[in-house]
Structure formats: C-alpha cells, structure tokens
Amino acid sequence: MSSSETTAPTPTPTTIVSGLSPTIISPADLEEFHASKTYEEFLNFIIDLNNSVKGVTLSTQCTLSPSVSCTLEILESLSVLVDDTPPLPHRTRFGNEAFVSWHQKLCSNSIDYMNKILKHSPLTKQQTQTHETNEQDSNDESYDIIGIFSSDSITSISKVVNELVDYFTHSFGDPTRIDYGSGHEAHFVAWMLCLYKLKIFAQSDFTPLVIVVFNRYISLMRKLQTVYWLEPAGSHGVWGLDDYHFLPFLWGSSQLINHKYIHPKSIRNMEIVSVYAKDYMYLECIKFINKVKTGSFVEHSPMLMDISGVKNWNKVNEGMIKMYKAELLSKLPVMQHFRFGTLLPFTPTIKDEEYSHEHDHTHHHHHVSKIFATSSPQTNNSEKMPQSCGCAIRIPSSIAASEGAKNQPRPFIAFDWGKQNVNSFLVV
C-alpha cells in the first residue's frame, strides 16, 4: 500500500448498557449455578423444545402466532442489514471488520425491535412508550410480570427492554473479537426463554420456535459467518461438532428420531445429505460443513463420524443432551461469559477472592465418545487435544481458509511420476 492510500477507520463496537452481568467466575460458582432454578429453567426449555420437534421436518406446516411472525420479521431485517453492509475489501483469514458496523446497526435498532415484540405480551399495558437506554424518569410506565417474580414485584418496561436487548445483541457474536460460538447461540435461547416467561411466546409456539425461528436464526448466522468470516469462538477444531453451533445437532437429531430410512450412518452418504438437508437441521449442518471444509469428512469432523456409528437417532439425541450439559453448561470458559439479570437471575452466594480459569480440553474427544458409547476406529484417541478454548488464541475461520484456497493460484509443478509422492501435489 502506498503512502498516499488511506484506509477506513476501524469501527468501534457499541456497548449496550443493561442490568445484565456475567456472575460465574469460578468452579464453585458453576457448581452452584447447576443447582439453581435458572439452570433448571434453561435446560428444561431446551429439552421441551427438543421434544416438540421429534419427527417433525422443517417443511412441516404450522401456525405462526403474531409474536413468532414478528420475530421472523426482525431476523429478516437483520439479514437485509447484512446486504447493506458489505465486507471491507482488505480481507485476511480472520474476521472482517465490517461486522462491527453491522453489529452497530443491530444495537441501534434493537430497542425498537424489543418494543415491537413486547406489544404482543398480554402482561404489558396498552401504552408502550419509546424507551431511552438511560432512564430519565423513575416513574415511567411499568407492569407486573406474573409468574416470574414474587407477587409484589414490579419491574419497569425499560428494564425489561434493556435485558431483552442485551440477550439479543449477544446472540450474534462478539464485535470486538469478531467471533461467534455456542455461547452466543445460548444467548439466543436465553432471549427466547425470557420471551416465553413474559408470555410473549406460548407452549404452542415451541415447534415453530425451533423449525421456523431458530432455523431462520441459523440461516442468518451462516450468512454472517460467510460474509464476514467470523472466527469460531473457543472452537475445539476437528474435535468439536461444528466450529460455531451445537443446538442444530441436538434439535436436528430429535427431528430424525424414528425415521424409516435415514439413520445416523446416513450422514456419510452425500447424496442423502444433499436431498434431505432442506428438511432436517442435522443434515443441513453436515452439508454446510462439507461445503466450507476441505479434506475428507473423517479428517475434519471425526467427532461427527464417531457419532454416525451410534445405533439410532434416539440414542444420538440422548447423547447430544448429555454432551450439551457437559461441554457447554458445565464448561467455565463458556459459562463465565453468560449473562444474568432479573429475568434469568443468578448470584453466587460464595465469592472467591481471586480466580484465574484454566482451560481443560484434554481428552475431550475421549470424553464425548464415552457419552455416545462409541469406539473410534477412524480416529486416534491418543492424540492430545488443543489446550486453549479460544479466549486467548484467535482461530481463523475455516470459511476464510476455504475461500483463500480457492483464490490461490495453482503453481505449475514439473515432476517425475516415478519419484514424486502424491502429497507433494496438494495445494494448501
């Protein structure tokens, strides 16, 4: 770049002010959280959604409530914002800084989004005034949230909006690190749970929340990952299900329970995956992985290959729930970032004076194989796992690596067939 050329200034991430904060900072806090009502509510919500889509395809026709339709409109508007915010031209294998600008637009519109969806709550009064992030009037419009707090507890609309905004804006990745992972995915589930507790979503919405709303959310996230090359947050690399997501595999395996023709081993058949990906989240995930990763499936996704050896989808689904509890809800590097407030409360009773977390991903693959009770003939379990969860080490996007490989010119190589090894012809 010449000295006369200038580059656009790096956008500054927007900070949302709310009452939410991460409160899990030690193993003792995490253990106490597992005994809390919020943990029980969160896990039960995931399981209830899981049970609601057993044997249900993505193309199944279902009635969409006004609140579900409103959520879809919000997600669609966020997709349009991606189109309006193209990636910056100077790209590396790490995240594109245009994502920061997109996230700023998300934050700027999020209060309006939440006010829009709150209109569908039977618990709000008729007049929902435009909310200011910083409260200026302590006597603002307020309402009672029945069934969440004690009978005499009153909370302001502005506080609820702030908390919903916080969960929602944390659902699409970190604008500072330009990354995304299963912890952000968990915040989207937390956002849906809050709306369920506010009676904006009902139990009758559970099936469309998964096959319509969550599926649309995943579609948006795939778009963000592809356009902005979001880095995987805390990825296990090949020793994980996916660089970014977990719940599409959990709920997706529930969709396939008792399927007559598609079995866990069917993911090895690319024709089956291609034909049925539009109907099943699990297969759509496999299709996306095959699209963005290079090499053989057993090399880049040994964990999924191992799971394909499980007898039936019911066993896979049971294993996924155990794995989610063990590998996400029980991992301090993930849960130390989870946010709590009034809608989803958790305050540890014992405060550690100081705690510096240590990452422990060693034997992760062996541990997960035990969850699914599989052997691993295709992979070498003796290989050591990467020690970092990604909090300190940036992990380039596999999408970026794949695109970079496509754009890399293939060199001419003069060779003697009798002397060359086939590996020397591979273009990295």
Side-chain angles (χ1 to χ4, degrees), residues 166-231:
D166 196 302
Y167 282 122
F168 191 69
T169 55
H170 278 81
S171 300
F172 299 92
D174 188 327
T176 301
R177 292 178 52 84
I178 314 182
D179 66 5
Y180 174 90
S182 54
H184 300 105
E185 180 185 75
H187 277 85
F188 188 76
V189 177
W191 179 74
M192 292 195 297
L193 174 57
C194 288
L195 293 178
Y196 174 61
K197 294 180 71 171
L198 290 168
K199 301 187 184 300
I200 294 172
F201 292 142
Q203 193 167 355
S204 58
D205 292 320
F206 280 8
T207 299
L209 279 180
V210 177
I211 68 171
V212 181
V213 171
F214 185 75
N215 188 54
R216 184 66 185 90
Y217 164 75
I218 291 297
S219 176
L220 173 59
M221 286 315 310
R222 296 301 194 196
K223 186 174 184 179
L224 290 169
Q225 292 153 14
T226 303
V227 172
Y228 301 123
W229 291 0
L230 300 186
E231 301 168 30

Side-chain angles (χ1 to χ4, degrees), residues 69-370:
S69 297
C70 179
T71 303
L72 289 175
E73 292 174 5
I74 292 171
L75 293 175
E76 182 57 35
S77 67
L78 292 178
S79 180
V80 173
L81 287 180
V82 178
D83 300 331
D84 296 338
T85 315
L88 297 179
H90 301 289
R91 308 193 70 163
T92 69
R93 286 179 60 177
F94 294 98
N96 192 286
E97 291 178 344
F99 175 72
V100 181
S101 298
W102 178 86
H103 202 276
Q104 287 176 335
K105 296 175 183 178
L106 161 67
C107 293
S108 298
N109 292 307
S110 57
I111 291 175
D112 290 337
Y113 292 152
M114 297 309 107
N115 278 327
K116 183 179 180 181
I117 201 166
L118 275 174
K119 293 179 181 178
H120 298 285
S121 172
L123 304 176
T124 57
K125 293 184 177 180
Q126 293 294 327
Q127 297 179 350
T128 303
Q129 301 176 351
T130 303
H131 169 71
E132 299 290 341
T133 303
N134 296 320
E135 293 183 32
Q136 298 179 357
D137 184 2
S138 60
N139 296 318
D140 61 348
E141 196 71 42
S142 55
Y143 62 93
D144 188 11
I145 303 182
I146 303 171
I148 300 176
F149 309 106
S150 58
S151 59
D152 60 345
S153 178
I154 303 294
T155 186
S156 67
I157 287 178
S158 58
K159 187 172 184 179
V160 169
V161 170
N162 271 338
E163 292 197 8
L164 290 174
V165 164
D166 196 302
Y167 282 122
F168 191 69
T169 55
H170 278 81
S171 300
F172 299 92
D174 188 327
T176 301
R177 292 178 52 84
I178 314 182
D179 66 5
Y180 174 90
S182 54
H184 300 105
E185 180 185 75
H187 277 85
F188 188 76
V189 177
W191 179 74
M192 292 195 297
L193 174 57
C194 288
L195 293 178
Y196 174 61
K197 294 180 71 171
L198 290 168
K199 301 187 184 300
I200 294 172
F201 292 142
Q203 193 167 355
S204 58
D205 292 320
F206 280 8
T207 299
L209 279 180
V210 177
I211 68 171
V212 181
V213 171
F214 185 75
N215 188 54
R216 184 66 185 90
Y217 164 75
I218 291 297
S219 176
L220 173 59
M221 286 315 310
R222 296 301 194 196
K223 186 174 184 179
L224 290 169
Q225 292 153 14
T226 303
V227 172
Y228 301 123
W229 291 0
L230 300 186
E231 301 168 30
S235 172
H236 289 296
V238 299
W239 302 109
L241 295 177
D242 181 286
D243 282 347
Y244 301 105
H245 296 285
F246 192 108
L247 289 174
F249 294 96
L250 193 157
W251 291 332
S253 62
S254 179
Q255 288 183 280
L256 287 160
I257 289 177
N258 295 327
H259 196 286
K260 291 183 178 180
Y261 310 112
I262 302 177
H263 307 288
K265 65 181 180 181
S266 298
I267 68 165
R268 307 172 195 172
N269 186 320
M270 292 304 101
E271 185 176 356
I272 291 178
V273 170
S274 179
V275 171
Y276 292 97
K278 65 182 184 299
D279 283 326
Y280 300 99
M281 283 187 290
Y282 197 104
L283 300 184
E284 173 58 34
C285 288
I286 301 299
K287 181 180 178 180
F288 184 79
I289 289 171
N290 284 325
K291 177 182 177 181
V292 302
K293 293 195 174 186
T294 58
S296 68
F297 191 81
V298 68
E299 291 173 339
H300 60 62
S301 302
M303 190 68 61
L304 288 169
M305 181 61 79
D306 285 352
I307 294 171
S308 72
V310 176
K311 184 177 181 180
N312 55 58
W313 288 112
N314 193 62
K315 293 293 184 181
V316 172
N317 187 243
E318 291 174 357
M320 286 291 175
I321 294 173
K322 293 178 182 178
M323 186 176 173
Y324 193 80
K325 292 164 64 177
E327 298 301 321
L328 192 136
L329 297 179
S330 297
K331 292 298 184 184
L332 187 60
V334 177
M335 295 308 298
Q336 68 178 355
H337 301 295
F338 196 87
R339 305 170 72 77
F340 300 94
T342 309
L343 296 171
L344 296 178
F346 174 68
T347 303
T349 57
I350 301 175
K351 291 291 184 181
D352 292 345
E353 294 182 1
E354 183 177 356
Y355 178 75
S356 176
H357 76 264
E358 297 179 359
H359 307 309
D360 182 16
H361 296 327
T362 308
H363 309 307
H364 166 80
H365 180 235
H366 176 65
H367 170 65
V368 173
S369 294
K370 287 175 63 178

